Each structure stands twice: as C-alpha cells, then as structure tokens.
Amino acid sequence: MGIFGDIFQAIVRVFSSSAAPPARSEVPAKPARQQQPSVQRPQDQRHHRRKTADDLRVPWKKPFESLTTPFDKQSLPQTRREGDRRLEQNQINQNNEHYVALRADATREGDLMAQCYRQSHEAYQQGQGALAKELSEKGGEHKRRMERLNAEAGAWIFRENNLDCKPGEVDLHGLYVKEAIMYAEGAIEKAQRRGDLEIRLIVGKGLHSNGHVAKIKPALEELMKRRSLPADADPNNAGLLIVRLK
C-alpha cells in the first residue's frame, strides 16, 4: 500500500483509541441473602383423612330446662294448690261412670220426648186428635223420666264436689244452669239464716263447656242482680263468685 497505506492505518488507530469508552469502575456485589430454613407447621390430620360420623355429630348441649329451677307445686300459694286439686277432683267426678250414665239416659229421654211432641203436633194438624193426645202423653212420660235422671245426676255431682269444701263455699261444677241456680239459691238462703256476711260460689270458667263459654257464671250474676246482692269475681280466680249477703 506504500506510505499512504501506513498513514491511513496510523490515523485509524488514533481515532480508535480516542473513541473507546472509559473503563467502568467495578461496583462491589451485594452479599447473597441467606435463605431462612422452612418451618414445618403441624398439619390438621382431619383435613387429610376421610370424615367420620364423629366429625359430623353436633356437640351435645345441656337442655333448656337445666338452666331453670325445677317446678315445685309446693311453691305455689296454698289457695292455688287447693284450687288445682279441686279442679282435678271435679274432672274425676264428671267422668264417673254412674254420673255419665245418668246424663246419657236423661239425654236419650229428652230426645224421645221431643220426638213424641213433634209427632203429636203433626197428628193434630192432620185431624188425628186421639193419636195426638196419646203421643203427647208419651212425651210427658219421657219428660218426667228425663227430669228425674237429671235431678239424680245433679244431686250426685253436687254432693261429691262439695265433700271437702270450706264453710261458706259452694261448688257448682258439673251442674246444668237451672240446677246451679236452684242449688245457689238454697245455699244463699242457708247462709243468710246463719248470718254469714258472704258466700263463695265456685262456678268455673267454662273451659269444659261447649264452645268454652261460661254459662253458670252469667246466669248467677243475673240472679244476684234480681236479688239485689252484690257479686264480684275473685280477683285471683275468675271462676269464683263472691256474693255479699249484708
């Protein structure tokens, strides 16, 4: 290449050395982070086995009643205990076979009485006077038997329900309204002759009546109005009527 070639190579070497980037200073490397040893946590074995019936069973709890004190009838007031006992005895008396049979026989006689009177009326309308009279007389016989049976049943239940009543108390449970009025009037007259200040009539709340409607109590309240005798229900027992006699 000659002298020109040597000059060109010299120029190239000069520019090449001046354009080279300066050497970078080495930055010390960060020390490697020490790896923490892994901690073996205890595993819940129930998540790694098949569930059994014991796992699904609901924990047993004490029953609700255990949080309260046991019920004790002796803790009730004496009057309430006596009232409950009398009510139980009244129910026993009203389900007595003898009493139930008397009422059933009386009901049957009443049905026969009504049937005879209805047939007597029909016979009379058809101009059969003799037959109408005969049927009417038969109806009267059934009526007297019905009244006799009901009177016997009323006397029995009244006697049984008043065996253990306190002085000045009269229990009218199990009686029909007319019977209750009759026995109440008799009891009032006896109490007035004794000079009692009041009489307590146990009339019930009608819980065992048809439709759970009291029948004896309103009838006796009306009776007391006619007799001008103040009568009020016991504030602690709606089924007890207190009649003031003076």
Side-chain angles (χ1 to χ4, degrees), residues 40-243:
Q40 297 294 331
R41 296 182 178 180
Q43 296 180 351
D44 189 351
Q45 297 298 327
R46 294 180 63 180
H47 294 287
H48 299 278
R49 63 179 175 83
R50 181 177 298 177
K51 291 185 178 181
T52 63
D54 293 335
D55 299 328
L56 302 176
R57 185 177 295 115
V58 178
W60 181 83
K61 296 182 180 181
K62 290 185 177 181
F64 163 76
E65 291 78 9
S66 64
L67 302 178
T68 60
T69 56
F71 175 73
D72 182 11
K73 285 188 175 181
Q74 298 300 324
S75 63
L76 294 174
Q78 182 178 0
T79 54
R80 183 174 175 183
R81 295 200 305 270
E82 292 177 353
D84 292 342
R85 179 178 56 80
R86 180 178 291 117
L87 183 59
E88 292 175 1
Q89 187 59 47
N90 287 338
Q91 291 304 305
I92 294 174
N93 293 337
Q94 292 184 49
N95 288 283
N96 179 273
E97 292 183 3
H98 176 64
Y99 173 76
V100 172
L102 289 172
R103 291 299 194 190
D105 290 343
T107 300
R108 183 167 53 255
E109 292 294 335
D111 293 340
L112 292 174
M113 174 196 69
Q115 179 181 346
C116 287
Y117 284 156
R118 184 178 63 255
Q119 293 175 349
S120 174
H121 181 69
E122 292 174 354
Y124 180 80
Q125 287 183 332
Q126 295 172 2
Q128 301 176 1
L131 179 59
K133 182 179 180 181
E134 180 183 353
L135 290 170
S136 179
E137 291 175 351
K138 288 182 64 175
E141 293 175 1
H142 289 302
K143 179 181 180 181
R144 287 187 291 273
R145 283 198 290 267
M146 177 192 69
E147 292 174 346
R148 177 179 56 80
L149 290 167
N150 275 329
E152 185 178 350
W156 186 90
I157 195 73
F158 181 78
R159 181 179 64 254
E160 293 297 319
N161 283 345
N162 286 275
L163 289 176
D164 58 350
C165 276
K166 297 179 181 179
E169 277 189 356
V170 178
D171 195 335
L172 302 174
H173 276 103
L175 296 173
Y176 291 164
V177 173
K178 290 184 178 180
E179 298 168 349
I181 292 175
M182 180 188 70
Y183 281 103
E185 287 180 329
I188 289 172
E189 291 174 359
K190 291 180 181 179
Q192 288 175 331
R193 288 196 297 267
R194 290 193 303 265
D196 295 346
L197 299 178
E198 67 178 25
I199 186 171
R200 302 166 70 85
L201 303 177
I202 303 173
V203 296
K205 302 176 183 178
L207 300 179
H208 302 281
S209 301
N210 293 333
H212 303 290
V213 177
K215 298 179 177 62
I216 295 178
K217 182 179 178 181
L220 291 183
E221 289 175 335
E222 183 63 28
L223 173 65
M224 301 311 149
K225 289 180 181 179
R226 293 198 304 267
R227 283 175 163 262
S228 299
L229 295 174
D232 298 295
D234 189 316
N236 298 319
N237 184 358
L240 179 62
L241 198 64
I242 302 175
V243 182

